[in-house]
Amino acid sequence: MTRTRNVFAALMVAAAASCAVAGAALAQEPREVGGVITANEGSTVVIRNAEGDHRVNLTSSTRIRGTTGVLNVRGEDHPAADLIPGLTVSVEGVQDGAGVTAAEVIFKEGDLRTARAIAGGLVGTEARVAENAERIDNVGQLVQAGRTKVFFALGSSALTDEAKASLDAIAAQARGLNTAYRFAVVGRADPTGNAAANERLSQRRAQAVIRYLERSAGITPDKFLLPAALGSAPVAHDPDVPQNDAEARRVTVTLAVSASARRP
């Protein structure tokens, strides 16, 4: 009888241990998350995608890597500080409660350059200048005073007559202001071709717009924020998502003034 009880007890312990292992395995379920970073809180980043916001925990063993080329060849390691808002990333890790603990965070080096350009010039997306606090040459907090979009032919950075007319109009609006102003210029491309080529094309388009405004519309170089070339990359919180390829082949020009100048 005693032997039977001992066997039964051993079986119960084994069953309990098996359940504990199963529970631990469930808690450590592999998880992949992709999206755009909206916040970096040091040891945690917030990633947003179509499903909502996801908190991703970073540890000392988390590998953060950039990739290059069409084949996404893995390149150099990066510090957690490079996981800046606006950067599109892919995370591999395990589910950890309500969040994800990252084993590896991967992004394209070109996307990091784009995110840095946006942070340096717009601190946000192309259509949110009015919502972001950016101080440039003591102008103060900038708010939108006007905007125009110019469109391009497939694979081209040449300005059409219609585009030139739109740029002339917003330049005239700027010159008519009785306060300091800045222009934010953001280039885009459609998804045709590879990401690197699209980024270069969107850069050429942005520069074509800036050259025209400087040489033909009387806008001096000091009036421009750092231009951004988005290529075909998605934009966090984008309120003006291109509805088709033709809409994506564009440069958006935002006229911004000091918030203090707009106060009554």
Side-chain angles (χ1 to χ4, degrees), residues 84-85 112-137 139-143 182-186 210 223-230 254-256:
I84 61 177
L112 177 59
R113 291 193 296 271
T114 297
R116 284 171 172 166
I118 296 172
L122 300 183
V123 193
T125 67
E126 59 172 308
R128 301 190 72 200
V129 174
E131 301 174 17
N132 292 287
E134 172 65 26
R135 294 185 177 272
I136 303 294
D137 294 338
V139 173
Q141 187 178 12
L142 300 180
V143 296
R182 293 292 186 273
F183 278 112
V185 179
V186 179
I210 291 173
K223 299 299 184 183
F224 293 94
L225 303 178
L226 181 68
L230 300 182
T254 301
L255 173 61

Side-chain angles (χ1 to χ4, degrees), residues 158-175:
L159 294 170
T160 65
D161 290 341
E162 183 179 0
K164 293 176 181 178
S166 296
L167 296 176
D168 287 337
I170 199 167
Q173 179 185 353
R175 292 194 303 269

Side-chain angles (χ1 to χ4, degrees), residues 170-251:
I170 199 167
Q173 179 185 353
R175 292 194 303 269
L177 296 172
N178 59 359
T179 186
Y181 63 86
R182 293 292 186 273
F183 278 112
V185 179
V186 179
R188 282 188 167 182
D190 66 40
T192 305
N194 65 64
N198 288 338
E199 185 178 341
R200 292 192 295 269
L201 177 57
S202 64
Q203 180 66 39
R204 291 198 301 271
R205 287 170 174 169
Q207 291 299 330
V209 166
I210 291 173
R211 282 196 301 271
Y212 182 84
L213 287 171
E214 289 178 344
R215 299 175 184 178
S216 301
I219 304 300
T220 56
D222 61 297
K223 299 299 184 183
F224 293 94
L225 303 178
L226 181 68
L230 300 182
S232 54
V235 178
H237 316 303
D238 192 348
D240 191 19
V241 178
Q243 299 302 305
N244 50 54
D245 286 355
E247 285 190 9
R249 297 191 289 267
R250 75 187 189 214
V251 169

Side-chain angles (χ1 to χ4, degrees), residues 15-98:
S18 177
C19 289
V21 170
L26 182 62
Q28 297 296 307
E29 178 185 359
R31 182 76 187 278
E32 294 184 6
V33 177
V36 178
I37 294 175
T38 60
N40 184 328
E41 302 169 359
S43 61
T44 303
V45 295
V46 179
I47 296 176
R48 179 168 297 170
N49 58 24
E51 299 174 353
D53 288 348
H54 307 268
R55 298 188 69 82
V56 175
N57 303 315
L58 307 175
T59 70
S60 59
S61 60
T62 300
R63 301 206 67 176
I64 302 172
R65 296 179 176 180
T67 64
T68 59
V70 179
L71 299 178
N72 290 328
V73 177
R74 293 188 180 183
E76 62 179 301
D77 289 349
H78 287 260
D82 282 350
L83 299 178
I84 61 177
L87 178 63
T88 300
V89 299
S90 176
V91 175
E92 295 181 2
V94 294
Q95 190 69 40
D96 186 5

